Amino acid sequence: MFLPKPKEVLLMGPGPSPVSRDVLSAIGQHTLGHLDADFLDIMNETSSLLRYVFETENEITFPVSGTGSAGMEAAMVNLLEPGDEVIIAVCGVFGQRMVDVASRCGAKVNVVEADWGQPIDPQRVARAVTDNPCSKMIGIVHAETSTGVLQDLKPIKELIEGKDMLLLVDAVTSLGGIPVEVDKLGLDIVYSGNQKCLGAPPGLAPITFNDKALDAVQKRKSKVQSWYLDLTFLTRYWGEERFYHHTAPINMIYGLYEALAEIREEGLVARFTRHSLHSKALVAGLEALGVRPVVDEKDRLASLTAVWIPDGVDDVAVRSGLRRDHLIEIGGGLGPFKGKVWRIGIMGHGARRENVERLVNALAVTLKSLQYSCSLNEAEAAVNSVYKNYAGQ
Ligand SMILES: Cc1ncc(COP(=O)(O)O)c(C=O)c1O
């Protein structure tokens, strides 16, 4: 092989997350043709596994070729026409990205904002809905990876119950780690990304559309601006017709299939519990080191914990020390959180006890080497007590 062998870095940042050996081996299997009958079976099963993970019966459920942003773009370009009004909730980078993509589609965007580290207040969205009754959709991020906030979708959906308005949800950092419950909540369009809680490498963006969303797409007056992401073409390939549109990323689909099958084998409830448990243990260990979470417990994401960098501690020195000396990657802050916050992922295959313990240990050692005073024993005890309490339940 010519490829320089990548080191086994433990990925505990905002994504990509660790990938299991079986998923990596699935990607390395023999490449089939994109219209080969065996591959078509794999496609069908991938859609069906995605329905299980999205908790939906939606027929139109498949992975878009491209990363999570391609899912965002696919949702918007198919739905929006120039001049459409939309409401977008913004409390971090990915809400802002939604605004950018919607305005590139020519939509008139009304933004509802919250401070970084806070969820969106449904009352403010309610006001936007009242003030802009012709809005075609509300766009919102379920798990804001730039801040570690989990958004409760139920009150947002209730605002548009019975209205001719759609709810578009970014579930990139929640799907497969935190309940998304597409059908139960009545979410109209939801997209995600391979590389977070689903446990596959970046490259595909699972997406699902319900009938109300498809109806809105069918009622468009103008052509979808993007040829590549036009839902009509994509569903003709993913549906029975098997119409050639673009060559599917075959081996990435193998990987997603395997990752989804692992989720089905584990079971969604067990998987959600696993994410929540290891995230609690992580937070306990970090707090014992004096590293405080940014987000209040009630709004905190299990899959991504944002923490304040302690006063006087150098952001880059810690992150590069973790990578160099301990082969662990964590993420830095974005936008207003740059240099102030670390982002630590507990996602998919990475959400396990040995990783929590390894990170807490490595962080304590790294912080001490930078003259920050903390106790590894206390941190270990805090982590252990979370696991002990859980085992005793
Ligand atoms: C919430 C959210 N939405 C969208 C994206 C974009 O995904 P990608 O980087 O895979 O294009 C990310 C990536 O981190 C994300 O966290």
Side-chain angles (χ1 to χ4, degrees):
M1 260 216 294
F2 297 103
L3 179 77
K5 193 167 168 37
K7 289 191 178 134
E8 276 201 38
V9 176
L10 173 59
L11 298 172
M12 294 194 77
S17 65
V19 177
S20 76
R21 285 275 149 222
D22 283 348
V23 171
L24 290 176
S25 321
I27 292 167
Q29 297 303 303
H30 189 79
T31 305
L32 287 168
H34 61 281
L35 292 172
D36 185 285
D38 290 349
F39 182 64
L40 300 182
D41 289 344
I42 290 174
M43 288 170 70
N44 287 342
E45 185 59 12
T46 303
S47 284
S48 138
L49 287 163
L50 277 176
R51 285 186 201 103
Y52 168 72
V53 176
F54 273 120
E55 297 185 71
T56 185
E57 302 278 316
N58 288 344
E59 179 64 24
I60 304 301
T61 304
F62 64 96
V64 174
S65 305
T67 63
S69 308
M72 185 187 292
E73 198 127 17
M76 302 266 194
V77 290
N78 282 288
L79 210 59
L80 301 181
E81 295 186 83
D84 281 344
E85 281 184 42
V86 298
I87 297 166
I88 295 186
V90 178
C91 60
V93 164
F94 297 101
Q96 274 165 359
R97 190 174 296 181
M98 274 188 156
V99 171
D100 190 359
V101 175
S103 47
R104 283 164 194 254
C105 295
K108 178 177 170 293
V109 184
N110 294 298
V111 176
V112 178
E113 277 182 291
D115 289 341
W116 278 50
Q118 299 290 328
I120 302 289
D121 177 357
Q123 297 294 332
R124 300 190 66 180
V125 183
R127 245 170 278 141
V129 170
T130 310
D131 294 347
N132 305 281
C134 296
S135 299
K136 196 168 197 176
M137 62 155 224
I138 298 176
I140 197 157
V141 178
H142 187 211
E144 183 44 85
T145 328
S146 56
T147 62
V149 166
L150 176 66
Q151 181 72 42
D152 186 3
L153 298 172
K154 195 161 175 271
I156 308 291
K157 173 64 196 185
E158 282 166 4
L159 296 174
I160 57 170
E161 214 67 74
K163 291 193 167 62
D164 194 17
M165 226 180 264
L166 297 161
L167 184 56
L168 165 61
V169 174
D170 177 318
V172 171
T173 297
S174 49
L175 191 71
I178 292 158
V180 179
E181 300 180 311
V182 172
D183 285 1
K184 188 168 163 203
L185 293 178
L187 313 177
D188 299 302
I189 307 155
V190 185
Y191 61 85
S192 188
N194 259 15
Q195 76 274 23
K196 314 268 184 171
C197 303
L198 293 178
L204 291 171
I207 197 164
T208 188
F209 289 75
N210 70 8
D211 288 345
K212 189 174 168 193
L214 290 178
D215 196 42
V217 174
Q218 271 149 18
K219 282 190 183 138
R220 291 179 64 101
K221 294 186 197 75
S222 58
K223 246 184 179 177
V224 172
Q225 302 91 312
S226 163
W227 177 88
Y228 194 70
L229 296 172
D230 187 328
L231 190 66
T232 318
F233 293 139
L234 297 178
T235 51
R236 283 174 71 194
Y237 175 53
W238 278 87
E240 273 173 19
E241 199 180 337
R242 302 303 182 185
F243 166 82
Y244 162 70
H245 175 244
H246 67 272
T247 312
I250 311 291
N251 293 55
M252 288 311 299
I253 292 171
Y254 295 168
L256 176 61
Y257 179 112
E258 189 67 25
L260 295 170
E262 285 181 358
I263 297 178
R264 186 176 56 187
E265 185 183 61
E266 179 176 9
L268 280 180
V269 174
R271 195 166 174 100
F272 300 150
T273 308
R274 178 161 65 81
H275 280 76
S276 153
L277 170 67
H278 297 302
S279 144
K280 283 195 180 108
L282 171 75
V283 171
L286 295 172
E287 280 182 323
L289 292 175
V291 177
R292 290 175 301 109
V294 170
V295 179
D296 288 348
E297 193 175 355
K298 67 177 181 19
D299 304 314
R300 199 181 296 150
L301 258 179
S303 48
L304 191 284
T305 306
V307 288
W308 297 112
I309 300 173
D311 285 346
V313 171
D314 185 275
D315 169 23
V316 176
V318 170
R319 284 190 291 123
S320 50
L322 285 173
R323 169 65 176 81
R324 184 187 58 241
D325 304 330
H326 304 274
L327 282 182
I328 300 178
E329 176 181 286
I330 64 167
L334 299 174
F337 280 177
K338 191 170 164 40
K340 297 186 183 151
V341 157
W342 290 317
R343 293 178 303 142
I344 304 177
I346 289 284
M347 298 179 185
H349 188 63
R352 48 194 71 239
R353 182 169 181 166
E354 65 263 32
N355 293 346
V356 171
E357 290 173 345
R358 186 170 148 195
L359 174 64
V360 168
N361 188 299
L363 188 59
V365 171
T366 309
L367 286 169
K368 276 168 178 270
S369 74
L370 296 167
Q371 320 311 325
Y372 172 83
S373 158
C374 60
S375 157
L376 174 57
N377 285 345
E378 280 172 28
E380 282 175 343
V383 169
N384 285 339
S385 85
V386 172
Y387 289 121
K388 216 166 136 198
N389 285 343
Y390 177 72
Q393 274 168 20

